[in-house]
Amino acid sequence: MTREAIGVGETELEALNDAKRQLGLSETDDVEFELIQRAEKKKFGLFGGSPAKVKVTVQDEPEPEMGAEEFLRQVLDNMGLENISIEKKEVEGGIEFDLEGEDVGFVIGRRGETLDSLQYLTSLVANHGEKDYVKVTINTGDYREKREKTLEILGRKLAFKAIKTGKKTSLEPMNPYERRIIHTAVQKVNGATSWSEGENSNRHVVIGVDPSYKQNYRKPYKGNRGGNRGGRRPYNGRGGSKSTSAPADPNRVPLNEGGETGLYGRIDK
């Protein structure tokens, strides 16, 4: 970065030192300068005259870029979490940071939102100025594995519910990576489908019945007026069958909202 300052003084030397002071330099520092105006003394000590003006130009050396691990450590320290340790591991195509400590729950946050944000910011730092994309993963213990398993179970459970009842279910807002886990789980249940609605932070997954699937779910029986006081649905061989789940179609391709490069996909420079 280039910085400039124009110093003023009764002499050229005083003007030069004034410019140095403005730039935070000492009088002994060597600098490049340009004499803009020479000092002129007043005639008869009363009339005219002008001060000297000198322009100093300084080319600062760029500061070394902060590494991903250094950035992560700095953020944790600023959060008051100095007791959390960071274990860095090189993996194929990226790096993984595992956090350990008593206060690690503060890093996870509600539904992992703080951990996700920290991973996103660290990924920005890791990929600044890099030619090849580096996938950054931040985990604590096996939190992400447990979260992924929970989402898979939730997706399958709501998929079977949609087939059984014929009703759709809207989930809470999630990031692209977690939405993709839900989509993948739902696509494994033949007869159910999922899609995303909403914008930005409100984008969420909706799970419902696949329109191309023959809906054989049982509608609630309201009874009849002509008897059968027991309220049970009569069975005559045509009154509907129990809901059955067909085997998953191996050709179905899950929606890809999260990409293959990380929590939020590749972060372009």
Side-chain angles (χ1 to χ4, degrees):
M1 182 179 68
T2 302
R3 295 185 296 144
E4 296 180 347
I6 296 178
V8 180
E10 293 184 2
T11 65
E12 286 79 2
L13 180 59
E14 290 181 0
L16 175 61
N17 290 333
D18 178 52
K20 289 182 178 180
R21 285 192 294 271
Q22 294 180 43
L23 296 173
L25 305 174
S26 67
E27 294 182 358
T28 58
D29 288 334
D30 293 329
V31 294
E32 294 183 4
F33 66 91
E34 176 186 354
L35 180 61
I36 299 177
Q37 178 177 291
R38 290 184 175 277
E40 293 183 3
K41 295 183 178 181
K42 295 181 179 180
K43 295 180 180 179
F44 308 109
L46 298 173
F47 308 105
S50 60
K53 293 183 179 180
V54 175
K55 182 172 74 172
V56 173
T57 302
V58 176
Q59 187 73 34
D60 290 336
E61 292 293 332
E63 296 183 1
E65 294 183 359
M66 181 181 296
E69 185 174 4
E70 182 184 356
F71 169 80
L72 181 58
R73 178 75 272 167
Q74 188 177 97
V75 173
L76 292 175
D77 291 347
N78 290 334
M79 293 172 66
L81 303 174
E82 298 90 346
N83 63 333
I84 292 182
S85 63
I86 303 174
E87 181 181 351
K88 179 181 178 182
K89 182 171 62 175
E90 301 284 344
V91 297
E92 184 177 358
I95 51 179
E96 291 183 1
F97 296 106
D98 189 56
L99 310 182
E100 294 184 2
E102 295 181 359
D103 299 327
V104 77
F106 292 102
V107 181
I108 296 175
R110 182 171 176 265
R111 298 196 307 269
E113 291 176 349
T114 304
L115 191 65
D116 291 347
S117 299
L118 191 59
Q119 177 172 298
Y120 172 71
L121 294 174
T122 306
S123 183
L124 282 177
V125 174
N127 288 284
H128 179 70
E130 294 291 336
K131 293 182 179 180
D132 297 326
Y133 178 79
V134 177
K135 179 182 178 181
V136 175
T137 303
I138 299 180
N139 200 357
T140 169
D142 55 354
Y143 169 78
R144 292 207 180 277
E145 291 78 8
K146 289 181 179 178
R147 175 68 172 168
E148 182 172 343
K149 188 65 177 179
T150 299
L151 293 175
E152 289 177 351
I153 294 174
L154 177 63
R156 288 179 58 84
K157 179 181 178 180
L158 295 180
F160 284 116
K161 178 182 177 181
I163 297 173
K164 182 178 179 180
T165 65
K167 298 180 180 179
K168 64 182 182 180
T169 303
S170 297
L171 280 67
E172 63 190 14
M174 298 178 183
N175 60 55
Y177 177 75
E178 293 190 339
R179 293 200 303 270
R180 184 173 186 268
I181 295 175
I182 295 290
H183 289 313
T184 303
V186 173
Q187 292 287 6
K188 294 178 181 179
V189 180
N190 199 23
T193 188
S194 61
W195 63 95
S196 292
E197 295 182 352
E199 298 295 334
N200 301 323
S201 61
N202 292 321
R203 194 158 180 78
H204 59 278
V205 175
V206 181
I207 300 175
V209 177
D210 188 342
S212 61
Y213 179 71
K214 182 179 180 181
Q215 300 181 8
N216 60 350
Y217 56 87
R218 178 179 295 178
K219 296 182 179 180
Y221 179 63
K222 299 181 180 179
N224 59 52
R225 300 177 182 176
N228 191 23
R229 295 183 180 180
R232 299 183 64 182
R233 186 181 184 120
Y235 177 74
N236 57 7
R238 296 175 298 174
S241 59
K242 291 184 178 181
S243 174
T244 57
S245 59
D249 182 357
N251 296 322
R252 301 182 76 193
V253 180
L255 298 179
N256 185 352
E257 289 200 69
E260 297 295 340
T261 55
L263 179 61
Y264 295 93
R266 173 162 184 162
I267 305 170
D268 293 326
K269 297 183 280 294

